[in-house]
């Protein structure tokens, strides 16, 4: 039976993944580990909640022992734009935090899920249908930390037999917890602005294509990879997972089908634009499809419809 710890449980992925895992395995089996002393009631009331800082090894070890944890979803990380503002902190949290988790997983024999990112790609990487195995020369500190993370995960598997698995997420679109400090965040912000002000000023240019995914698919990828038959996994870490690719112009058009008054303008942030330009337009995820049966449920139009329906309820808009 699984006893799961989610590190980063109050973040964009963690706040929803924790609830999905609780639904699947039982609330008492899934410990939400977050840095906030006052997490949402949903997280804290429905199951165990602990303060978990990936830089505090002793506190993490205490949680692992207390709940006999055997599986860790390690989601705590700084995103790309924040990482450019504070590269040393990004290294500390994203790399040292991961090493701490891997060392504890080795000591207490836990399986680990590690989310990597489209950020691991950069100059020289083919931009369309980016292959699973290809050139990886990231130009952001975020990308450097995620690529280092992929290598560390491979190393702990090869050297110590630790069961570490991970995917390369595209930009994630969700309606529960907003992302913070990412380059792909425009694709979430635009929905809130479209519904509340019917206008949005985008920080990326209208034709910037990026790989994107709706949160239900991101949760499904994490859970299905961790449940996959280990003997089928050849790559184990850094699986490309893809669902849709679009530009700000295309996303705007799709949202305008529901909110025709939406007006978009462009005020380009040169740092974020440079980051986006260094990332793939779309990834080839055939390794994930072959090795553990990955398949997304949402395309662009299905995602937009669901986002608008859910956000209307959340924001109490008729
Ligand atoms: N969504 C992330 C970011 O924009 C990429 O993984 O930083």
């Amino acid at each position: 039976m699984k006893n799961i710890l989610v590190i980063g449980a109050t973040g964009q992925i963690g706040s929803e993944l924790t609830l999905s895992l609780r639904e699947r395995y039982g609330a008492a089996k899934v410990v939400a580990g977050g840095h906030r002393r006052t997490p949402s009631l949903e997280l804290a009331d429905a199951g165990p909640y602990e303060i978990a800082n990936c830089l505090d090894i002793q506190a993490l070890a205490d949680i692992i022992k207390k709940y006999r944890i055997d599986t860790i979803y390690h989601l705590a990380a700084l995103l790309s734009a924040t990482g450019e503002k504070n590269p040393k902190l990004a290294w500390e949290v994203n790399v040292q935090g991961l090493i701490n988790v891997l060392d504890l997983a080795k000591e207490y024999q836990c399986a680990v899920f590690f989310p990597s990112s489209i950020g691991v790609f950069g100059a020289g990487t083919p931009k369309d249908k980016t292959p699973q195995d290809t050139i990886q020369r990231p130009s952001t500190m975020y990308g450097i930390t995620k690529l280092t993370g992929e290598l560390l995960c491979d190393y702990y598997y090869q050297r110590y037999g630790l069961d570490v698995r991970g995917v390369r997420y595209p930009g994630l679109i969700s309606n529960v917890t907003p992302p913070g400090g990412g380059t792909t965040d425009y694709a979430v912000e635009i929905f809130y602005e479209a519904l509340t002000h019917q206008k949005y000023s985008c920080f990326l240019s209208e034709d910037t294509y990026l790989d994107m995914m709706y949160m239900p698919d991101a949760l499904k990828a994490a859970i299905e990879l961790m449940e996959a038959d280990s003997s089928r996994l050849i790559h184990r870490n850094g699986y490309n997972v893809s669902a849709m690719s679009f530009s700000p112009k295309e996303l705007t058009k799709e949202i305008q089908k529901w909110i025709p008054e939406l007006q978009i303008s462009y005020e380009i942030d040169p740092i974020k634009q440079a980051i986006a330009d260094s990332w793939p337009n779309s990834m080839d995820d055939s390794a994930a499809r072959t090795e553990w049966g990955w398949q997304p449920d949402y395309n662009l139009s299905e995602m937009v419809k669901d986002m608008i329906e859910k956000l209307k309820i959340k924001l109490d808009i008729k």
Side-chain angles (χ1 to χ4, degrees):
M1 192 54 93
K2 285 191 159 145
N3 290 317
I4 298 170
L5 170 62
V6 180
I7 302 175
T10 55
Q12 189 199 11
I13 306 174
S15 56
E16 295 191 55
L17 183 63
T18 305
L19 303 184
S20 285
L21 291 168
R22 282 180 175 166
E23 230 168 70
R24 199 169 180 90
Y25 303 111
K29 297 269 172 200
V30 182
V31 181
H35 64 282
R36 296 200 183 127
R37 296 210 169 266
T38 49
S40 69
L41 287 179
E42 230 181 343
L43 269 189
D45 278 7
Y49 181 83
E50 297 280 349
I51 299 286
N53 173 354
C54 60
L55 298 176
D56 185 345
I57 303 187
Q58 194 47 54
L60 279 188
D62 290 344
I63 299 171
I64 291 171
K65 281 186 280 185
K66 178 173 167 189
Y67 295 95
R68 297 171 186 273
I69 296 298
D70 56 37
T71 305
I72 302 172
Y73 288 79
H74 175 47
L75 309 172
L78 262 60
L79 289 183
S80 56
T82 312
E84 289 315 288
K85 284 193 194 135
N86 199 339
K88 281 192 181 149
L89 183 65
W91 178 267
E92 186 69 5
V93 174
N94 295 10
V95 177
Q96 191 54 52
L98 173 64
I99 292 177
N100 293 345
V101 169
L102 292 172
D103 280 337
L104 287 168
K106 182 171 146 246
E107 191 175 341
Y108 295 98
Q109 294 175 349
C110 304
V112 177
F113 173 80
F114 170 70
S116 185
S117 156
I118 47 172
V120 296
F121 298 116
T125 305
K127 278 192 161 307
D128 295 303
K129 288 271 154 217
T130 301
Q132 174 68 39
D133 302 307
T134 185
I135 297 166
Q136 291 181 266
R137 301 284 297 174
S139 54
T140 60
M141 181 50 88
Y142 175 71
I144 293 168
T145 65
K146 287 291 178 184
L147 177 52
T148 306
E150 288 185 7
L151 296 172
L152 284 167
C153 291
D154 282 346
Y155 179 80
Y156 274 71
Y157 171 66
Q158 283 153 9
R159 178 89 203 269
Y160 307 115
L162 198 68
D163 186 5
V164 195
R165 307 176 186 194
V167 298
R168 291 179 187 136
Y169 279 130
L172 297 180
I173 299 161
S174 62
N175 51 58
V176 176
T177 305
T183 303
T184 56
D185 295 9
Y186 91 84
V188 178
E189 290 170 8
I190 190 171
F191 284 95
Y192 285 87
E193 292 304 311
L195 281 162
T196 53
H197 299 109
Q198 295 76 52
K199 59 178 185 208
Y200 178 62
S201 169
C202 184
F203 55 74
L204 295 181
S205 67
E206 62 177 14
D207 289 321
T208 307
Y209 279 85
L210 285 167
D211 224 324
M212 298 279 182
M213 181 178 287
Y214 196 30
M215 188 58 85
D217 279 330
L219 306 181
K220 179 170 112 150
I223 293 171
E224 289 187 355
L225 174 58
M226 292 309 279
E227 286 183 351
D229 176 357
S230 175
S231 67
R232 283 182 66 198
L233 304 179
I234 298 163
H235 288 85
R236 300 195 76 88
N237 288 295
Y239 281 103
N240 288 359
V241 283
S242 190
M244 61 188 94
S245 167
F246 56 75
S247 62
K249 191 158 90 185
E250 285 178 359
L251 178 58
T252 304
K253 264 196 195 150
E254 196 60 41
I255 298 175
Q256 280 167 338
K257 290 183 186 164
W258 302 88
I259 308 169
E261 312 80 40
L262 171 62
Q263 287 178 0
I264 182 138
S265 58
Y266 295 91
E267 206 176 316
I268 293 162
D269 176 324
I271 295 180
K272 290 180 182 165
Q273 185 66 51
I275 295 174
D277 288 343
S278 76
W279 288 352
N281 300 337
S282 68
M283 291 186 287
D284 174 358
D285 58 4
S286 48
R289 287 174 188 258
T290 310
E291 292 176 34
W292 48 279
W294 160 249
Q295 220 184 341
D297 291 329
Y298 289 85
N299 61 21
L300 173 59
S301 57
E302 290 159 338
M303 176 276 287
V304 167
K305 178 174 184 284
D306 201 62
M307 275 295 280
I308 290 176
E309 283 170 6
K310 298 266 162 58
L311 281 178
K312 274 189 171 171
I313 298 168
K314 181 176 173 178
L315 303 173
D316 198 16
I317 293 170
K318 300 286 172 265

PDB file of all heavy atoms in Angstrom, residues 185-186 189-190 193-194 197-204 248 252 262-269:
ATOM      1  N   ASP A 185       3.052  31.411 -18.347  1.00  0.00           N
ATOM      2  CA  ASP A 185       1.923  31.847 -17.506  1.00  0.00           C
ATOM      3  C   ASP A 185       0.880  32.686 -18.254  1.00  0.00           C
ATOM      4  O   ASP A 185      -0.259  32.805 -17.801  1.00  0.00           O
ATOM      5  CB  ASP A 185       2.409  32.709 -16.323  1.00  0.00           C
ATOM      6  CG  ASP A 185       3.280  31.943 -15.349  1.00  0.00           C
ATOM      7  OD1 ASP A 185       3.642  30.802 -15.658  1.00  0.00           O
ATOM      8  OD2 ASP A 185       3.614  32.499 -14.291  1.00  0.00           O
ATOM      9  N   TYR A 186       1.270  33.273 -19.390  1.00  0.00           N
ATOM     10  CA  TYR A 186       0.299  34.103 -20.129  1.00  0.00           C
ATOM     11  C   TYR A 186      -0.959  33.298 -20.462  1.00  0.00           C
ATOM     12  O   TYR A 186      -2.075  33.829 -20.487  1.00  0.00           O
ATOM     13  CB  TYR A 186       0.945  34.674 -21.422  1.00  0.00           C
ATOM     14  CG  TYR A 186       0.769  33.793 -22.630  1.00  0.00           C
ATOM     15  CD1 TYR A 186      -0.392  33.852 -23.401  1.00  0.00           C
ATOM     16  CD2 TYR A 186       1.747  32.863 -22.993  1.00  0.00           C
ATOM     17  CE1 TYR A 186      -0.575  33.014 -24.493  1.00  0.00           C
ATOM     18  CE2 TYR A 186       1.569  32.024 -24.082  1.00  0.00           C
ATOM     19  CZ  TYR A 186       0.408  32.112 -24.828  1.00  0.00           C
ATOM     20  OH  TYR A 186       0.218  31.275 -25.901  1.00  0.00           O
ATOM     21  N   GLU A 189      -3.122  33.531 -17.357  1.00  0.00           N
ATOM     22  CA  GLU A 189      -3.550  34.912 -17.074  1.00  0.00           C
ATOM     23  C   GLU A 189      -4.627  35.395 -18.030  1.00  0.00           C
ATOM     24  O   GLU A 189      -5.569  36.071 -17.640  1.00  0.00           O
ATOM     25  CB  GLU A 189      -2.347  35.869 -17.217  1.00  0.00           C
ATOM     26  CG  GLU A 189      -1.303  35.740 -16.148  1.00  0.00           C
ATOM     27  CD  GLU A 189      -0.036  36.545 -16.484  1.00  0.00           C
ATOM     28  OE1 GLU A 189      -0.027  37.327 -17.470  1.00  0.00           O
ATOM     29  OE2 GLU A 189       0.939  36.384 -15.752  1.00  0.00           O
ATOM     30  N   ILE A 190      -4.491  35.037 -19.301  1.00  0.00           N
ATOM     31  CA  ILE A 190      -5.421  35.537 -20.324  1.00  0.00           C
ATOM     32  C   ILE A 190      -6.873  35.152 -20.007  1.00  0.00           C
ATOM     33  O   ILE A 190      -7.792  35.929 -20.257  1.00  0.00           O
ATOM     34  CB  ILE A 190      -4.990  35.059 -21.739  1.00  0.00           C
ATOM     35  CG1 ILE A 190      -5.796  35.780 -22.819  1.00  0.00           C
ATOM     36  CG2 ILE A 190      -5.120  33.555 -21.898  1.00  0.00           C
ATOM     37  CD1 ILE A 190      -5.291  35.522 -24.246  1.00  0.00           C
ATOM     38  N   GLU A 193      -8.202  37.504 -17.206  1.00  0.00           N
ATOM     39  CA  GLU A 193      -8.409  38.858 -17.735  1.00  0.00           C
ATOM     40  C   GLU A 193      -9.564  38.885 -18.735  1.00  0.00           C
ATOM     41  O   GLU A 193     -10.337  39.837 -18.770  1.00  0.00           O
ATOM     42  CB  GLU A 193      -7.118  39.374 -18.393  1.00  0.00           C
ATOM     43  CG  GLU A 193      -5.997  39.616 -17.401  1.00  0.00           C
ATOM     44  CD  GLU A 193      -6.387  40.577 -16.286  1.00  0.00           C
ATOM     45  OE1 GLU A 193      -6.928  41.655 -16.594  1.00  0.00           O
ATOM     46  OE2 GLU A 193      -6.173  40.240 -15.102  1.00  0.00           O
ATOM     47  N   ALA A 194      -9.667  37.844 -19.548  1.00  0.00           N
ATOM     48  CA  ALA A 194     -10.762  37.785 -20.528  1.00  0.00           C
ATOM     49  C   ALA A 194     -12.107  37.786 -19.808  1.00  0.00           C
ATOM     50  O   ALA A 194     -13.054  38.472 -20.221  1.00  0.00           O
ATOM     51  CB  ALA A 194     -10.632  36.538 -21.392  1.00  0.00           C
ATOM     52  N   HIS A 197     -12.052  41.479 -17.405  1.00  0.00           N
ATOM     53  CA  HIS A 197     -11.893  42.797 -18.044  1.00  0.00           C
ATOM     54  C   HIS A 197     -12.063  42.786 -19.566  1.00  0.00           C
ATOM     55  O   HIS A 197     -11.946  43.823 -20.213  1.00  0.00           O
ATOM     56  CB  HIS A 197     -10.508  43.375 -17.717  1.00  0.00           C
ATOM     57  CG  HIS A 197     -10.283  43.575 -16.250  1.00  0.00           C
ATOM     58  ND1 HIS A 197      -9.418  42.798 -15.502  1.00  0.00           N
ATOM     59  CD2 HIS A 197     -10.839  44.441 -15.390  1.00  0.00           C
ATOM     60  CE1 HIS A 197      -9.454  43.194 -14.243  1.00  0.00           C
ATOM     61  NE2 HIS A 197     -10.302  44.194 -14.139  1.00  0.00           N
ATOM     62  N   GLN A 198     -12.227  41.594 -20.140  1.00  0.00           N
ATOM     63  CA  GLN A 198     -12.371  41.426 -21.596  1.00  0.00           C
ATOM     64  C   GLN A 198     -11.190  42.023 -22.371  1.00  0.00           C
ATOM     65  O   GLN A 198     -11.302  42.398 -23.534  1.00  0.00           O
ATOM     66  CB  GLN A 198     -13.696  42.041 -22.142  1.00  0.00           C
ATOM     67  CG  GLN A 198     -14.949  41.365 -21.646  1.00  0.00           C
ATOM     68  CD  GLN A 198     -15.295  41.747 -20.209  1.00  0.00           C
ATOM     69  OE1 GLN A 198     -15.371  42.915 -19.881  1.00  0.00           O
ATOM     70  NE2 GLN A 198     -15.479  40.746 -19.349  1.00  0.00           N
ATOM     71  N   LYS A 199     -10.048  42.188 -21.709  1.00  0.00           N
ATOM     72  CA  LYS A 199      -8.845  42.590 -22.459  1.00  0.00           C
ATOM     73  C   LYS A 199      -7.610  42.039 -21.757  1.00  0.00           C
ATOM     74  O   LYS A 199      -7.634  41.824 -20.531  1.00  0.00           O
ATOM     75  CB  LYS A 199      -8.760  44.100 -22.638  1.00  0.00           C
ATOM     76  CG  LYS A 199      -8.736  44.891 -21.387  1.00  0.00           C
ATOM     77  CD  LYS A 199      -8.600  46.357 -21.729  1.00  0.00           C
ATOM     78  CE  LYS A 199      -8.447  47.097 -20.414  1.00  0.00           C
ATOM     79  NZ  LYS A 199      -8.867  48.396 -20.325  1.00  0.00           N
ATOM     80  N   TYR A 200      -6.575  41.788 -22.554  1.00  0.00           N
ATOM     81  CA  TYR A 200      -5.361  41.223 -21.975  1.00  0.00           C
ATOM     82  C   TYR A 200      -4.150  41.760 -22.722  1.00  0.00           C
ATOM     83  O   TYR A 200      -4.138  41.839 -23.950  1.00  0.00           O
ATOM     84  CB  TYR A 200      -5.392  39.685 -22.073  1.00  0.00           C
ATOM     85  CG  TYR A 200      -4.131  39.057 -21.535  1.00  0.00           C
ATOM     86  CD1 TYR A 200      -3.779  39.216 -20.198  1.00  0.00           C
ATOM     87  CD2 TYR A 200      -3.267  38.320 -22.361  1.00  0.00           C
ATOM     88  CE1 TYR A 200      -2.607  38.652 -19.697  1.00  0.00           C
ATOM     89  CE2 TYR A 200      -2.106  37.754 -21.861  1.00  0.00           C
ATOM     90  CZ  TYR A 200      -1.783  37.927 -20.532  1.00  0.00           C
ATOM     91  OH  TYR A 200      -0.623  37.383 -20.037  1.00  0.00           O
ATOM     92  N   SER A 201      -3.130  42.127 -21.958  1.00  0.00           N
ATOM     93  CA  SER A 201      -1.876  42.574 -22.552  1.00  0.00           C
ATOM     94  C   SER A 201      -0.868  41.430 -22.391  1.00  0.00           C
ATOM     95  O   SER A 201      -0.514  41.069 -21.273  1.00  0.00           O
ATOM     96  CB  SER A 201      -1.420  43.847 -21.827  1.00  0.00           C
ATOM     97  OG  SER A 201      -0.114  44.137 -22.200  1.00  0.00           O
ATOM     98  N   CYS A 202      -0.454  40.893 -23.523  1.00  0.00           N
ATOM     99  CA  CYS A 202       0.365  39.671 -23.498  1.00  0.00           C
ATOM    100  C   CYS A 202       1.847  40.016 -23.533  1.00  0.00           C
ATOM    101  O   CYS A 202       2.275  40.890 -24.292  1.00  0.00           O
ATOM    102  CB  CYS A 202      -0.004  38.809 -24.714  1.00  0.00           C
ATOM    103  SG  CYS A 202       0.843  37.225 -24.723  1.00  0.00           S
ATOM    104  N   PHE A 203       2.633  39.286 -22.735  1.00  0.00           N
ATOM    105  CA  PHE A 203       4.085  39.585 -22.665  1.00  0.00           C
ATOM    106  C   PHE A 203       4.907  38.810 -23.699  1.00  0.00           C
ATOM    107  O   PHE A 203       6.113  38.958 -23.767  1.00  0.00           O
ATOM    108  CB  PHE A 203       4.621  39.386 -21.244  1.00  0.00           C
ATOM    109  CG  PHE A 203       4.375  38.020 -20.641  1.00  0.00           C
ATOM    110  CD1 PHE A 203       5.110  36.921 -21.060  1.00  0.00           C
ATOM    111  CD2 PHE A 203       3.418  37.853 -19.638  1.00  0.00           C
ATOM    112  CE1 PHE A 203       4.900  35.676 -20.497  1.00  0.00           C
ATOM    113  CE2 PHE A 203       3.200  36.602 -19.076  1.00  0.00           C
ATOM    114  CZ  PHE A 203       3.946  35.505 -19.513  1.00  0.00           C
ATOM    115  N   LEU A 204       4.246  37.933 -24.479  1.00  0.00           N
ATOM    116  CA  LEU A 204       4.938  37.242 -25.588  1.00  0.00           C
ATOM    117  C   LEU A 204       4.334  37.711 -26.908  1.00  0.00           C
ATOM    118  O   LEU A 204       3.171  38.117 -26.948  1.00  0.00           O
ATOM    119  CB  LEU A 204       4.768  35.722 -25.467  1.00  0.00           C
ATOM    120  CG  LEU A 204       5.404  35.034 -24.258  1.00  0.00           C
ATOM    121  CD1 LEU A 204       5.163  33.520 -24.320  1.00  0.00           C
ATOM    122  CD2 LEU A 204       6.894  35.324 -24.140  1.00  0.00           C
ATOM    123  N   PRO A 248      -0.095  32.831 -28.801  1.00  0.00           N
ATOM    124  CA  PRO A 248      -1.060  33.734 -28.169  1.00  0.00           C
ATOM    125  C   PRO A 248      -2.196  34.124 -29.116  1.00  0.00           C
ATOM    126  O   PRO A 248      -3.355  34.215 -28.701  1.00  0.00           O
ATOM    127  CB  PRO A 248      -0.208  34.953 -27.799  1.00  0.00           C
ATOM    128  CG  PRO A 248       1.167  34.398 -27.567  1.00  0.00           C
ATOM    129  CD  PRO A 248       1.304  33.278 -28.562  1.00  0.00           C
ATOM    130  N   THR A 252      -6.100  33.321 -28.309  1.00  0.00           N
ATOM    131  CA  THR A 252      -7.058  34.422 -28.265  1.00  0.00           C
ATOM    132  C   THR A 252      -8.280  34.114 -29.136  1.00  0.00           C
ATOM    133  O   THR A 252      -9.433  34.292 -28.714  1.00  0.00           O
ATOM    134  CB  THR A 252      -6.394  35.738 -28.749  1.00  0.00           C
ATOM    135  OG1 THR A 252      -5.249  35.965 -27.943  1.00  0.00           O
ATOM    136  CG2 THR A 252      -7.342  36.918 -28.653  1.00  0.00           C
ATOM    137  N   LEU A 262     -13.274  39.971 -26.128  1.00  0.00           N
ATOM    138  CA  LEU A 262     -11.864  39.962 -25.688  1.00  0.00           C
ATOM    139  C   LEU A 262     -10.970  40.694 -26.694  1.00  0.00           C
ATOM    140  O   LEU A 262     -10.979  40.420 -27.888  1.00  0.00           O
ATOM    141  CB  LEU A 262     -11.360  38.510 -25.537  1.00  0.00           C
ATOM    142  CG  LEU A 262      -9.846  38.367 -25.304  1.00  0.00           C
ATOM    143  CD1 LEU A 262      -9.406  39.055 -24.005  1.00  0.00           C
ATOM    144  CD2 LEU A 262      -9.434  36.889 -25.273  1.00  0.00           C
ATOM    145  N   GLN A 263     -10.193  41.633 -26.153  1.00  0.00           N
ATOM    146  CA  GLN A 263      -9.223  42.350 -26.991  1.00  0.00           C
ATOM    147  C   GLN A 263      -7.830  42.041 -26.468  1.00  0.00           C
ATOM    148  O   GLN A 263      -7.597  42.087 -25.257  1.00  0.00           O
ATOM    149  CB  GLN A 263      -9.438  43.861 -26.889  1.00  0.00           C
ATOM    150  CG  GLN A 263     -10.676  44.301 -27.607  1.00  0.00           C
ATOM    151  CD  GLN A 263     -10.906  45.788 -27.464  1.00  0.00           C
ATOM    152  OE1 GLN A 263     -10.128  46.491 -26.814  1.00  0.00           O
ATOM    153  NE2 GLN A 263     -11.985  46.259 -28.045  1.00  0.00           N
ATOM    154  N   ILE A 264      -6.921  41.770 -27.392  1.00  0.00           N
ATOM    155  CA  ILE A 264      -5.552  41.458 -26.958  1.00  0.00           C
ATOM    156  C   ILE A 264      -4.593  42.513 -27.491  1.00  0.00           C
ATOM    157  O   ILE A 264      -4.757  43.015 -28.606  1.00  0.00           O
ATOM    158  CB  ILE A 264      -5.126  40.041 -27.405  1.00  0.00           C
ATOM    159  CG1 ILE A 264      -3.720  39.715 -26.907  1.00  0.00           C
ATOM    160  CG2 ILE A 264      -5.211  39.856 -28.908  1.00  0.00           C
ATOM    161  CD1 ILE A 264      -3.525  38.335 -26.383  1.00  0.00           C
ATOM    162  N   SER A 265      -3.641  42.898 -26.643  1.00  0.00           N
ATOM    163  CA  SER A 265      -2.562  43.775 -27.085  1.00  0.00           C
ATOM    164  C   SER A 265      -1.248  43.116 -26.662  1.00  0.00           C
ATOM    165  O   SER A 265      -1.266  42.156 -25.886  1.00  0.00           O
ATOM    166  CB  SER A 265      -2.712  45.162 -26.458  1.00  0.00           C
ATOM    167  OG  SER A 265      -2.710  45.033 -25.054  1.00  0.00           O
ATOM    168  N   TYR A 266      -0.156  43.608 -27.187  1.00  0.00           N
ATOM    169  CA  TYR A 266       1.128  42.956 -26.914  1.00  0.00           C
ATOM    170  C   TYR A 266       2.121  43.961 -26.331  1.00  0.00           C
ATOM    171  O   TYR A 266       2.369  45.006 -26.914  1.00  0.00           O
ATOM    172  CB  TYR A 266       1.681  42.326 -28.203  1.00  0.00           C
ATOM    173  CG  TYR A 266       0.779  41.198 -28.676  1.00  0.00           C
ATOM    174  CD1 TYR A 266      -0.272  41.439 -29.564  1.00  0.00           C
ATOM    175  CD2 TYR A 266       0.947  39.902 -28.197  1.00  0.00           C
ATOM    176  CE1 TYR A 266      -1.119  40.413 -29.968  1.00  0.00           C
ATOM    177  CE2 TYR A 266       0.100  38.873 -28.586  1.00  0.00           C
ATOM    178  CZ  TYR A 266      -0.926  39.140 -29.476  1.00  0.00           C
ATOM    179  OH  TYR A 266      -1.771  38.128 -29.867  1.00  0.00           O
ATOM    180  N   GLU A 267       2.623  43.611 -25.173  1.00  0.00           N
ATOM    181  CA  GLU A 267       3.669  44.433 -24.542  1.00  0.00           C
ATOM    182  C   GLU A 267       4.759  43.450 -24.172  1.00  0.00           C
ATOM    183  O   GLU A 267       4.722  42.815 -23.101  1.00  0.00           O
ATOM    184  CB  GLU A 267       3.087  45.085 -23.285  1.00  0.00           C
ATOM    185  CG  GLU A 267       3.787  46.363 -22.906  1.00  0.00           C
ATOM    186  CD  GLU A 267       3.084  47.003 -21.710  1.00  0.00           C
ATOM    187  OE1 GLU A 267       1.827  47.052 -21.714  1.00  0.00           O
ATOM    188  OE2 GLU A 267       3.783  47.395 -20.787  1.00  0.00           O
ATOM    189  N   ILE A 268       5.686  43.283 -25.120  1.00  0.00           N
ATOM    190  CA  ILE A 268       6.598  42.136 -25.013  1.00  0.00           C
ATOM    191  C   ILE A 268       7.656  42.329 -23.930  1.00  0.00           C
ATOM    192  O   ILE A 268       8.289  43.392 -23.839  1.00  0.00           O
ATOM    193  CB  ILE A 268       7.227  41.863 -26.395  1.00  0.00           C
ATOM    194  CG1 ILE A 268       6.099  41.374 -27.312  1.00  0.00           C
ATOM    195  CG2 ILE A 268       8.341  40.827 -26.323  1.00  0.00           C
ATOM    196  CD1 ILE A 268       6.382  41.456 -28.760  1.00  0.00           C
ATOM    197  N   ASP A 269       7.792  41.307 -23.097  1.00  0.00           N
ATOM    198  CA  ASP A 269       8.842  41.292 -22.076  1.00  0.00           C
ATOM    199  C   ASP A 269      10.056  40.608 -22.716  1.00  0.00           C
ATOM    200  O   ASP A 269      10.006  39.412 -23.027  1.00  0.00           O
ATOM    201  CB  ASP A 269       8.336  40.490 -20.866  1.00  0.00           C
ATOM    202  CG  ASP A 269       9.397  40.335 -19.783  1.00  0.00           C
ATOM    203  OD1 ASP A 269      10.589  40.189 -20.134  1.00  0.00           O
ATOM    204  OD2 ASP A 269       9.029  40.337 -18.602  1.00  0.00           O
TER     205      ASP A 269
END
